[in-house]
Amino acid sequence: MHAMVLKKIGTALEWTKLADPKPGPGEIRVKVSACGVCRTDLHVVDGELPNPEIPIVPGHEIVGRIDLVGSDVEGLKTAQRVGIPWLGHTCGVCPYCLEHRENLCDRPLFTGYTRNGGFATMVIADARFAFPLGETGSDVSLAPLLCAGLIGWRSLGIAGKGKKIGLYGFGAAAHIIAQVANWQGRSVFAFTRPGDVAKQSFARSLGATWAGGSDEMPPERLDAAIIFATVGELVPLALKAVRKGGRVVCAGIHMGDIPSFPYQLLWQERQLLSVANLTRQDGIDFLQLAPRMNIVTKATIYPLNQANQALADLRAGRFEGAAVLVP
Ligand SMILES: [Zn+2]
Ligand SMILES: [Zn+2]
């Protein structure tokens, strides 16, 4: 097999030939057909997340077909199409696992961070954490759903049932969640970098009621806002944009420092929350609904060995929607 391997934090991924891995008990081997590129991959490469399992193959929005099934695997078979998300394993016995909050597991493994991911031609997965995908939709269009879609879905749930939803940062996650929110009958207010009129018109083309710069106030107060961008300065701006009792949800795994702000912005029962990882139930719920929501993912395709270019383009915001690697 071949993989793009991170051998040292802060360096480019290296195209590397590796021995074909064998699935152990409870594991499957998947031939990767598409793998999305996520902001979290950049955090791993940049060393912004603690204790990555170096050397590591990044990538946690994997679509592929099972080509080997280990012992003790139930319900999955060879040639079946599956998706492999960020949550790669949980312990099953910690207090968080026992209270159905496995996204907060004390001893988890994360795909592309603490276990090898999908910037590769093959990957081993814990069979219990692979989602059967069925045959609707292309591999490339489904890949961004596995993290951008899923984390966005969890964030939208935590944002509550309000009708007016702000999305700060209009990248891969927001471009999917705007469509989900519309499908649910909500209005989307999209915030981009000030002056990024291209992303603003992209947001409008996906049904946003309003789009503007993050330094602007929306035309009406929001019920909730989700911050997908990694910029801590957005937190007080989003708090300012939500109504009394409104929620601000930070969806990213990493964010720059939040500047101090007047208590007035939080007062009147506004809530500030973060979202961490996903549970398998999030995946089941979202992936069951996704085909009915007619989500159109805008994907820019790169060959697998161009992963460094995809990461650089993501960093610079050079494409709309999501980047997807294809072996
Ligand atoms: Zn656990
Ligand atoms: Zn991700």
Side-chain angles (χ1 to χ4, degrees):
M1 64 169 279
H2 283 88
M4 292 297 285
V5 183
L6 179 68
K7 296 183 177 168
K8 189 164 176 274
I9 292 293
T11 62
L13 308 181
E14 292 178 36
W15 178 249
T16 306
K17 189 168 195 281
L18 301 166
D20 289 356
K22 292 265 177 350
E27 293 181 329
I28 50 173
R29 188 171 79 183
V30 172
K31 266 189 94 172
V32 178
S33 41
C35 185
V37 180
C38 172
R39 173 72 53 177
T40 300
D41 298 315
L42 274 182
H43 296 319
V44 171
V45 170
D46 292 345
E48 287 168 331
L49 304 183
N51 307 317
E53 194 65 43
I54 301 290
I56 186 79
V57 180
H60 56 270
E61 297 182 306
I62 306 169
V63 176
R65 287 192 187 268
I66 299 172
D67 85 328
L68 264 182
V69 178
S71 60
D72 305 325
V73 172
E74 281 171 27
L76 293 175
K77 55 180 193 296
T78 308
Q80 192 171 359
R81 185 165 71 161
V82 290
I84 302 168
W86 169 247
L87 189 70
H89 177 82
T90 54
C91 76
V93 296
C94 76
Y96 297 101
C97 282
L98 292 178
E99 61 186 35
H100 306 291
R101 301 170 81 192
E102 64 179 357
N103 59 309
L104 300 177
C105 174
D106 282 334
R107 285 176 295 279
L109 289 175
F110 295 114
T111 311
Y113 173 36
T114 54
R115 68 180 294 157
N116 278 335
F119 289 6
T121 53
M122 260 180 204
V123 64
I124 298 284
D126 183 325
R128 297 168 307 153
F129 291 80
F131 299 118
L133 289 179
E135 297 297 332
T136 306
S138 73
D139 299 334
V140 164
S141 69
L142 290 175
L145 301 186
L146 269 303
C147 181
L150 259 172
I151 300 287
W153 170 257
R154 184 174 176 83
S155 305
L156 188 60
I158 287 177
K161 303 240 180 271
K163 291 286 182 205
K164 289 175 238 165
I165 302 292
L167 302 177
Y168 283 79
F170 208 83
H175 103 285
I176 294 169
I177 291 312
Q179 299 175 61
V180 174
N182 274 332
W183 182 81
Q184 293 175 331
R186 313 200 208 201
S187 305
V188 169
F189 298 75
F191 298 82
T192 70
R193 284 198 186 99
D196 192 346
V197 289
K199 285 258 166 64
Q200 289 163 18
S201 62
F202 179 50
R204 279 186 217 99
S205 77
L206 292 174
T209 303
W210 175 92
S214 57
D215 56 343
E216 294 175 51
M217 283 292 280
E220 39 195 329
R221 289 288 178 116
L222 307 171
D223 296 312
I226 304 172
I227 304 180
F228 291 113
T230 59
V231 181
E233 282 82 3
L234 293 173
V235 169
L237 292 172
L239 280 169
K240 201 186 269 185
V242 299
R243 62 165 171 80
K244 288 184 279 188
R247 286 186 189 166
V248 173
V249 179
C250 301
I253 194 168
H254 175 83
M255 187 183 248
D257 286 354
I258 301 168
S260 74
F261 55 85
Y263 177 60
Q264 192 66 24
L265 294 182
L266 189 62
W267 165 239
Q268 288 178 315
E269 300 195 350
R270 291 180 179 86
Q271 297 175 53
L272 178 59
L273 305 137
S274 70
V275 163
N277 314 314
L278 66 137
T279 65
R280 280 172 282 179
Q281 195 59 48
D282 293 328
I284 292 163
D285 294 346
F286 177 62
L287 293 169
Q288 251 170 19
L289 272 179
R292 282 161 50 195
M293 295 191 281
N294 297 316
I295 297 167
V296 179
T297 45
K298 178 156 184 192
T300 303
I301 298 172
Y302 297 78
L304 172 60
N305 61 11
Q306 298 296 308
N308 290 306
Q309 187 61 49
L311 288 169
D313 290 349
L314 172 61
R315 192 188 296 283
R318 277 193 282 261
F319 54 78
E320 284 169 351
V324 178
L325 302 178
V326 174

